């Protein structure tokens, strides 16, 4: 257990509304990630962070923004949710000391988001 | 073409059967991961390997770097092994994910 929690665990919202998902970790790890998981696709990286205020885009970053003002929290925001953003969102951490470290990633329990 | 391909996409077997799930990749890698996702949604890392073979209980993972291929084997399968098994490769500081293999073990 890498001490990762996500909130909320489930959310239903309407198109056009803002949504913020929170990932919280208790182990002070530097690297944190947001993924989305959709049927027929592997996990797809949205954004990642390599430290406080240090973030970068993943392969499917359009329509999403992130913030990391504290080591323990990594927030994912949908400024104006669309139905195509209905998905399961996973947060993950990498306990390694560098991006090239072949370490295992540890995952949060996921957030199921439905945009109507 | 996806850089990481898993086969089969779906697999249904009887309890006790020997299970093999395959992962082929087309990029240079520094490591390959096998993960398990249970019906409840949680994702758990099973193995990380860069050569040879690893064993944990009834699970065995092998990798052939020359052939760019890895297999995950489950011996004496049990209904609690029912899950989605995901292969991911680490290449150029990124993790590239397979789409997963859904395994159902019937009692």
């Amino acid at each position: 257990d890498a001490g990762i929690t996500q909130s909320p665990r489930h959310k239903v919202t309407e198109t056009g509304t803002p949504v913020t998902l929170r990932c919280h970790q208790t182990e002070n790890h530097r690297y944190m990630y947001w993924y989305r998981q959709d049927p027929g696709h592997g996990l797809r990286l949205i954004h990642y962070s390599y430290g406080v205020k240090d973030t970068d885009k993943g392969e499917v970053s359009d329509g999403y923004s992130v913030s990391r003002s504290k080591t323990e929290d990594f927030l994912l925001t949908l400024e104006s949710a669309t139905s195509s953003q209905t998905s399961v969102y996973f947060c993950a951490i990498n306990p390694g000391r560098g991006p090239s470290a072949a370490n295992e990633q540890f995952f949060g329990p996921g957030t199921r988001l439905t945009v109507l | 073409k996806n850089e990481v391909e898993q086969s089969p996409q779906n697999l249904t077997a009887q309890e006790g059967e020997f299970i093999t799930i395959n992962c082929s990749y087309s990029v240079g890698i520094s490591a390959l991961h096998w993960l398990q996702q249970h019906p409840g949604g949680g994702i758990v890392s099973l193995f990380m390997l860069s050569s040879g073979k690893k064993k944990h209980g009834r699970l065995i993972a092998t990798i052939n770097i020359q052939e760019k291929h890895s297999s995950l084997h489950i011996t004496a399968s049990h209904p609690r092994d029912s899950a989605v098994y995901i292969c991911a490769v680490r290449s150029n500081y990124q993790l590239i994910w397979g789409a997963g293999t859904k395994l159902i073990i019937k009692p």
Side-chain angles (χ1 to χ4, degrees):
Chain A
D1 182 1
I4 307 168
T5 57
Q6 291 184 231
S7 58
R9 294 293 313 281
H10 301 271
K11 186 169 181 70
V12 179
T13 192
E14 292 185 314
T15 298
T17 59
V19 176
T20 295
L21 309 182
R22 178 181 182 239
C23 177
H24 179 79
Q25 54 133 337
T26 59
E27 305 282 322
N28 249 11
H29 296 299
R30 184 177 168 194
Y31 295 93
M32 298 183 75
Y33 308 81
W34 275 109
Y35 293 94
R36 60 178 288 174
Q37 185 181 40
D38 303 289
H41 291 273
L43 285 159
R44 292 184 289 175
L45 183 65
I46 305 171
H47 281 277
Y48 65 99
S49 170
Y50 42 97
V52 172
K53 293 189 167 57
D54 290 324
T55 65
D56 208 346
K57 296 179 180 180
E59 63 178 300
V60 289
S61 58
D62 287 348
Y64 301 95
S65 63
V66 288
S67 66
R68 189 145 178 227
S69 57
K70 298 185 289 185
T71 300
E72 58 264 36
D73 288 325
F74 191 31
L75 304 181
L76 177 71
T77 297
L78 292 66
E79 300 289 349
S80 178
T82 67
S83 58
S84 65
Q85 292 175 312
T86 293
S87 187
V88 180
Y89 291 86
F90 285 96
C91 172
I93 62 98
N94 181 340
R97 292 187 177 274
S100 62
N103 289 287
E104 301 176 37
Q105 287 196 358
F106 295 92
F107 287 83
T111 295
R112 185 173 294 277
L113 175 66
T114 302
V115 183
L116 301 176
Chain B
K1 188 179 188 299
N2 294 334
E3 292 168 308
V4 180
E5 298 269 4
Q6 287 187 236
S7 63
Q9 278 187 294
N10 296 282
L11 178 58
T12 300
Q14 291 296 132
E15 183 173 358
E17 286 188 39
F18 181 81
I19 303 298
T20 296
I21 298 170
N22 297 299
C23 176
S24 296
Y25 52 91
S26 58
V27 294
I29 70 168
S30 56
L32 182 143
H33 300 255
W34 281 103
L35 305 101
Q36 180 191 57
Q37 184 174 26
H38 271 287
I43 299 175
V44 174
S45 179
L46 296 174
F47 295 103
M48 182 184 68
L49 63 166
S50 53
S51 65
K53 179 167 92 172
K54 286 191 176 180
K55 185 175 189 292
H56 182 71
R58 294 180 295 105
L59 300 177
I60 304 166
T62 64
I63 188 168
N64 185 319
I65 297 294
Q66 286 73 32
E67 294 185 4
K68 295 190 173 180
H69 181 268
S70 175
S71 293
L72 177 68
H73 305 286
I74 305 174
T75 61
S77 59
H78 190 276
R80 66 174 174 267
D81 297 325
S82 298
V84 174
Y85 291 84
I86 304 170
C87 169
V89 300
R90 185 168 292 280
S91 178
N92 291 332
Y93 311 131
Q94 299 180 65
L95 269 180
I96 307 171
W97 299 83
T101 294
K102 184 174 182 179
L103 174 66
I104 297 173
I105 303 296
K106 293 187 174 180

